[in-house]
Amino acid sequence: MYSIRSLLLIGILSLFLWTTFAVFTADSFIAQFQAQQATLSTTEKKVYYKKVFNNLSLLAIQNRTDIEQFTLYTSLKDYVNTQIQLLSWTISSPIASSISGMNILKVDLAKVRDTWLALHNTERKTKSLTPFTYSAALEWTASTWAQHLADIWTTTHKRKNTDWYYSYTNIKDWFLHQWINFSTEEKSGQPLFTENIWWNIYSCKKTDCTDDFIKAIKKSRTFFMSEKGSSYTPHYNAIVGNFSTIGLGVAVVGNKYYLVTHYTQDLK
């Protein structure tokens, strides 16, 4: 049983971090974090660390469109996770099935997800491949990258400025920082993930824009499918690749949409 003192301390500190965290720099947070946990027992530290970790994770999710804030919260989340690992203890991802990545006005996102998944699985069926399943966690990662593309008004796979274009290693590292963990081992010639990205025109002034939105994103699928039978097939290969799970992310800016689909092996 936790003492009243420890529960009260944990509650106050968690609330304080949750409501005022934006005022912290990385250095000041770490200094205060270390000072606050210094008097806690190992059992109390586990509770405290988990609360702080989850708060940082949710703050990163809420600020995923602000690169500076997202980077800050993610780096501090990683720091707290390192402290947790020193206790030989782990915690699970805060990304729940109820967390949605996309937020498109006047669009039925459930219909969009079902349509996108069905379009992929229709093509996979022609090759007797196992159908994809849809992942809320991958929707969040795909939406995070789609929003980034919308912010910079271009499409790119580059996670670092030093990347040539598509760096498997750096994208994998990026996935891990998004709480994505793969349940299978990496094998030669069998990547754990890939992503398809594209953009096109979209606008709608109707009360219900679902059908218009689906019609628009199908233009991206037409582009991906146009590679079928050609000598250059990276986008089509993702659709019929050795993956099990997908997630769709779309961000709209002006009269354009930026679309990202993440394809991965099984997730933990």
Side-chain angles (χ1 to χ4, degrees):
M1 295 294 292
Y2 305 127
S3 68
I4 295 177
R5 177 192 68 82
S6 65
L7 288 174
L8 181 60
L9 175 63
I10 291 167
I12 291 173
L13 290 176
S14 297
L15 180 61
F16 178 73
L17 285 167
W18 174 257
T19 57
T20 67
F21 186 77
V23 304
F24 284 91
T25 64
D27 289 342
S28 64
F29 168 83
I30 292 172
Q32 182 163 334
F33 177 85
Q34 290 291 352
Q36 299 289 4
Q37 59 85 43
T39 60
L40 300 178
S41 67
T42 299
T43 301
E44 291 171 337
K45 284 180 181 179
K46 288 183 178 181
V47 177
Y48 174 52
Y49 288 6
K50 182 175 182 179
K51 284 182 177 290
V52 174
F53 179 92
N54 285 342
N55 285 346
L56 290 168
S57 299
L58 291 173
L59 282 168
I61 291 171
Q62 291 177 343
N63 289 274
R64 62 183 180 273
T65 60
D66 185 324
I67 299 300
E68 182 177 353
Q69 290 298 302
F70 176 81
T71 301
L72 173 64
Y73 298 138
T74 300
S75 65
L76 291 176
K77 178 268 298 181
D78 291 343
Y79 168 79
V80 174
N81 191 44
T82 299
Q83 307 309 304
I84 291 169
Q85 292 173 347
L86 292 176
L87 298 176
S88 299
W89 186 62
T90 60
I91 60 178
S92 60
S93 165
I95 301 178
S97 59
S98 60
I99 294 177
S100 172
M102 292 184 290
N103 181 23
I104 311 299
L105 294 177
K106 301 183 291 184
V107 172
D108 182 348
L109 294 177
K111 186 175 180 180
V112 172
R113 296 183 188 99
D114 290 345
T115 300
W116 198 245
L117 180 62
L119 288 170
H120 278 73
N121 286 336
T122 295
E123 182 61 23
R124 289 179 70 81
K125 187 175 181 179
T126 67
K127 295 183 175 295
S128 301
L129 297 171
T130 303
F132 285 135
T133 58
Y134 195 86
S135 166
L138 291 182
E139 178 177 317
W140 183 72
T141 62
S143 297
T144 298
W145 196 246
Q147 185 59 58
H148 171 68
L149 299 181
D151 291 341
I152 63 175
W153 285 72
T154 190
T155 56
T156 179
H157 296 285
K158 293 175 63 173
R159 264 42 178 198
K160 295 182 179 180
N161 291 332
T162 54
D163 290 346
W164 175 72
Y165 192 67
Y166 186 98
S167 169
Y168 183 88
T169 300
N170 288 338
I171 295 176
K172 181 180 179 182
D173 184 63
W174 182 86
F175 268 120
L176 295 175
H177 279 76
Q178 310 280 326
W179 307 280
I180 296 297
N181 293 293
F182 307 99
S183 60
T184 55
E185 293 293 329
E186 201 161 22
K187 298 179 181 179
S188 177
Q190 295 186 5
L192 293 176
F193 60 84
T194 192
E195 66 180 2
N196 278 345
I197 61 177
W198 200 241
W199 70 270
N200 217 305
I201 301 299
Y202 164 75
S203 64
C204 177
K205 296 182 180 179
K206 299 177 182 178
T207 302
D208 184 350
C209 292
T210 304
D211 290 340
D212 291 69
F213 186 70
I214 290 174
K215 182 179 179 180
I217 66 173
K218 281 183 176 180
K219 296 175 183 177
S220 290
R221 180 182 185 272
T222 299
F223 168 72
F224 300 150
M225 292 295 296
S226 70
E227 296 177 350
K228 184 177 181 179
S230 70
S231 60
Y232 181 76
T233 60
H235 301 94
Y236 180 72
N237 286 346
I239 295 172
V240 296
N242 185 30
F243 303 108
S244 61
T245 310
I246 69 168
L248 170 68
V250 186
V252 175
V253 56
N255 66 341
K256 294 181 179 180
Y257 71 81
Y258 290 83
L259 179 145
V260 177
T261 306
H262 281 160
Y263 307 79
T264 73
Q265 297 285 357
D266 294 337
L267 303 178
K268 287 184 180 179

